[in-house]
């Protein structure tokens, strides 16, 4: 029976959950599928191509291929899109490592275009809109990289937390650590995301002021 591409990808994602990205190999995947390794290369020219296809499938599972809803508020949409992205990465073992370094493919351009249009309508240039999307995307990937690393290494790092005596000479650090150390993960993520969104909003206001200034300048005026 001919090996189907989508079966390979689904099986590879299941194997990722079992062994992690460091344990994932084409040999192991072929064994799980009951085929010889060369059979995989009918669909994927190398392991990198397979990983990219897995990352794309993971994003489709998370609903990241949907365009912006008509009439959406830019801040609400971008925030929920970032949360959806995070959930998608967390849904798979080493999801952030799998996704890191990938780039949108042509079939994903429509969703990216609609999000860029949303930010442009709110006052950003296309270049600044894309920079904002990249910044938020990398924030999410970096955040989940840390989350998944913490979960993996938690047992080995048991007892490494600094004691009150060790923190005594650093009162500001101690106060800050007390607030953030045991924070709800979702709330902590949203706080950092909010800082980025505040920065985007400030950029929009700055561009609007410059645009208004240009519009108020008539012939012979400076």
């Amino acid at each position: 029976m001919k090996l189907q591409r989508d079966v390979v990808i689904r099986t590879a994602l299941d194997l990722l959950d079992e062994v992690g990205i460091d344990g994932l190999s084409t040999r192991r995947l072929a064994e799980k599928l009951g085929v010889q390794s060369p059979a995989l290369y009918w669909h994927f020219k190398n392991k990198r191509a397979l990983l990219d296809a897995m990352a794309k499938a993971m994003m489709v599972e998370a609903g990241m291929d949907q365009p912006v809803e008509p009439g959406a508020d830019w801040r609400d949409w971008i925030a929920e899109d970032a949360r959806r992205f995070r959930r998608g990465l967390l849904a798979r073992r080493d999801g952030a490592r799998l996704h890191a370094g990938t780039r949108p493919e042509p079939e994903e351009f429509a969703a990216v275009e609609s999000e860029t249009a949303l930010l442009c309508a709110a006052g950003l240039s296309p270049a600044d809109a894309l920079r904002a999307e990249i910044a938020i995307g990398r924030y999410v990937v970096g955040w989940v990289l840390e989350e998944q690393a913490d979960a993996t290494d938690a047992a080995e790092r048991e007892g490494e937390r600094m004691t009150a005596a060790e923190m005594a000479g650093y009162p500001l650090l101690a106060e800050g650590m007390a607030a953030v150390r045991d924070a709800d993960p979702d709330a902590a993520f949203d706080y950092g995301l909010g800082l980025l969104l505040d920065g985007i909003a400030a950029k929009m206001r700055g561009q609007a002021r410059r645009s208004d200034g240009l519009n108020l300048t008539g012939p012979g005026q400076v």
Side-chain angles (χ1 to χ4, degrees):
M1 183 170 61
K2 184 178 179 181
L3 193 61
Q4 299 297 317
R5 178 185 171 91
D6 62 334
V7 172
V8 177
I9 294 171
R10 288 198 306 270
T11 305
L13 287 169
D14 291 342
L15 183 60
L16 175 71
D17 287 337
E18 292 176 20
V19 303
I21 200 163
D22 292 328
L24 180 66
S25 67
T26 54
R27 179 187 59 78
R28 270 186 161 174
L29 177 58
E31 288 175 357
K32 196 170 184 67
L33 288 163
V35 299
Q36 297 297 312
S37 293
L40 301 177
Y41 297 113
W42 282 103
H43 300 291
F44 307 101
K45 62 182 179 181
N46 51 42
K47 185 179 178 181
R48 180 68 265 168
L50 171 64
L51 294 175
D52 287 346
M54 291 167 61
K56 179 182 175 182
M58 180 174 65
M59 291 296 93
V60 171
E61 288 178 351
M64 292 301 296
D65 57 341
Q66 55 186 292
V68 174
E69 298 168 0
D73 174 83
W74 77 266
R75 185 171 183 128
D76 290 345
W77 173 266
I78 296 295
E80 184 51 40
D81 195 54
R83 295 184 191 110
R84 185 163 47 241
F85 186 15
R86 174 173 171 251
R87 290 193 295 269
L89 297 179
L90 286 172
R92 293 288 184 176
R93 181 175 175 180
D94 292 331
R97 289 180 63 193
L98 175 64
H99 187 276
T102 61
R103 298 291 183 270
E105 296 185 4
E107 54 267 36
E108 302 169 273
F109 287 175
V112 178
E113 176 78 6
S114 69
E115 189 166 279
T116 304
L118 179 69
L119 292 172
C120 289
L124 293 183
S125 67
D128 283 339
L130 192 57
R131 291 184 185 108
E133 293 170 72
I134 292 171
I136 290 174
R138 290 183 177 177
Y139 166 72
V140 177
V141 173
W143 186 278
V144 178
L145 278 170
E146 292 290 345
E147 284 189 288
Q148 293 183 322
D150 283 346
T152 300
D153 299 338
E156 294 182 13
R157 294 188 182 279
E158 189 68 29
E160 288 188 4
R161 184 175 288 187
M162 293 182 71
T163 66
E166 290 171 323
M167 297 290 289
Y170 310 97
L172 299 179
L173 179 58
E175 182 179 342
M177 288 287 289
V180 305
R181 185 169 52 197
D182 298 315
D184 173 75
D186 294 340
F189 173 82
D190 279 352
Y191 186 88
L193 178 60
L195 296 178
L196 282 171
L197 295 173
D198 287 346
I200 294 170
K203 183 73 172 179
M204 291 173 176
R205 291 192 295 271
Q207 291 192 353
R209 285 194 296 270
R210 286 193 293 274
S211 178
D212 289 344
L214 289 173
N215 291 337
L216 290 171
T217 302
Q221 294 178 299
V222 177

